[in-house]
C-alpha cells in the first residue's frame, strides 16, 4: 500500500496582544527552541527565555522567580499551552500562554483517509490526536497514536 505524506506547520493563534510587549518565554516541551523560534517568526520579541526538560514539573518557587524576574525587567510572560495546562491550578495570573494549532496541507485529502480529527502534537516518535480540546487533553488517556514520526521531522 502506498503511504501518503502530508506536510504541516504550526501556527500561533491569539498572540497579537503580545506583539506590543517584550517577553519572557519559557517552555518545558521536547524542543523548546522550536516554540521560541515560532514566536519570533510571528513578530514577537523575546527578551529572555528559559528551556526546561519535556514534561517538567515546575515548582511554585521557580514560577515565582520567573514572575519576579519578568516584573523587574518589565516583561510579559508567555509559555506553551501544554505548560500552562500543567500549572493553571496555581492561579498565577501573570503567566500567559499562546495557543498553537497544527495546519495540515491538503487536509481534505488527509481527513478522507479516515483520520478522525486534526493531529495536535508529537510525543516521542508518534503523532497523536486528541479526543478532548480542553486542558484535560494533556492526560495520556485522551491521546492515541495516529502516525509514526519520520526521521525528517
Amino acid at each position: 500500500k502506498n503511504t501518503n505524506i502530508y506536510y504541516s506547520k504550526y501556527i500561533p493563534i491569539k498572540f497579537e496582544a503580545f506583539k506590543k510587549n517584550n517577553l519572557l518565554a519559557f517552555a518545558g516541551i521536547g524542543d523548546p527552541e522550536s516554540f521560541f523560534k515560532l514566536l519570533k517568526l510571528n513578530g514577537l520579541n523575546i527578551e529572555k527565555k528559559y528551556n526546561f526538560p519535556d514534561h517538567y514539573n515546575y515548582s511554585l518557587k521557580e514560577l515565582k522567580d520567573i514572575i519576579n524576574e519578568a516584573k523587574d525587567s518589565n516583561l510579559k510572560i508567555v509559555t506553551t499551552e501544554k505548560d500552562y495546562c500543567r500549572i493553571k491550578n496555581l492561579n498565577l495570573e501573570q503567566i500567559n500562554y499562546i495557543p498553537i494549532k497544527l495546519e495540515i496541507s491538503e487536509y481534505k485529502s488527509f481527513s478522507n483517509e479516515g483520520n478522525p480529527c486534526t493531529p495536535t502534537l508529537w510525543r516521542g516518535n508518534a503523532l497523536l490526536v486528541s479526543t478532548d480540546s480542553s486542558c484535560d487533553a494533556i492526560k495520556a488517556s485522551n491521546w492515541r497514536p495516529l502516525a509514526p514520526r519520520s526521521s525528517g521531522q
Side-chain angles (χ1 to χ4, degrees):
K1 179 179 176 183
N2 290 335
T3 301
N4 293 324
I5 297 174
Y6 295 94
Y7 295 94
S8 63
K9 62 182 176 179
Y10 289 110
I11 301 172
I13 52 178
K14 301 179 184 177
F15 68 96
E16 291 80 12
F18 296 106
K19 282 190 169 187
K20 305 178 258 184
N21 303 104
N22 293 325
L23 303 174
L24 182 157
F26 72 94
I29 57 176
D31 182 10
E33 286 300 323
S34 66
F35 173 68
F36 305 140
K37 182 179 177 183
L38 181 66
L39 299 182
K40 287 179 183 179
L41 287 173
N42 283 276
L44 300 180
N45 185 34
I46 301 174
E47 290 288 322
K48 294 185 180 184
K49 63 183 179 179
Y50 291 102
N51 298 346
F52 292 90
D54 197 13
H55 306 287
Y56 189 71
N57 188 18
Y58 299 97
S59 72
L60 183 58
K61 181 190 180 318
E62 288 169 320
L63 295 170
K64 286 189 174 186
D65 287 347
I66 288 171
I67 290 168
N68 289 334
E69 182 174 354
K71 182 179 178 184
D72 292 345
S73 301
N74 196 30
L75 303 173
K76 291 269 187 189
I77 304 170
V78 296
T79 191
T80 67
E81 188 171 7
K82 174 185 167 185
D83 286 309
Y84 182 80
C85 287
R86 297 181 80 224
I87 64 174
K88 71 177 183 166
N89 293 339
L90 299 174
N91 298 314
L92 300 170
E93 62 189 43
Q94 302 91 331
I95 299 177
N96 305 283
Y97 71 91
I98 297 181
I100 296 175
K101 72 176 184 173
L102 181 68
E103 183 176 279
I104 299 172
S105 64
E106 300 179 37
Y107 179 75
K108 187 172 183 179
S109 173
F110 175 80
S111 62
N112 286 339
E113 286 188 17
N115 298 306
C117 56
T118 303
T120 54
L121 95 110
W122 287 103
R123 183 163 293 160
N125 63 353
L127 180 60
L128 304 177
V129 292
S130 174
T131 58
D132 181 345
S133 62
S134 71
C135 285
D136 292 332
I138 298 300
K139 296 177 184 169
S141 62
N142 292 332
W143 296 95
R144 67 175 185 78
L146 179 64
R149 183 190 290 245
S150 72
S151 60
Q153 294 176 324

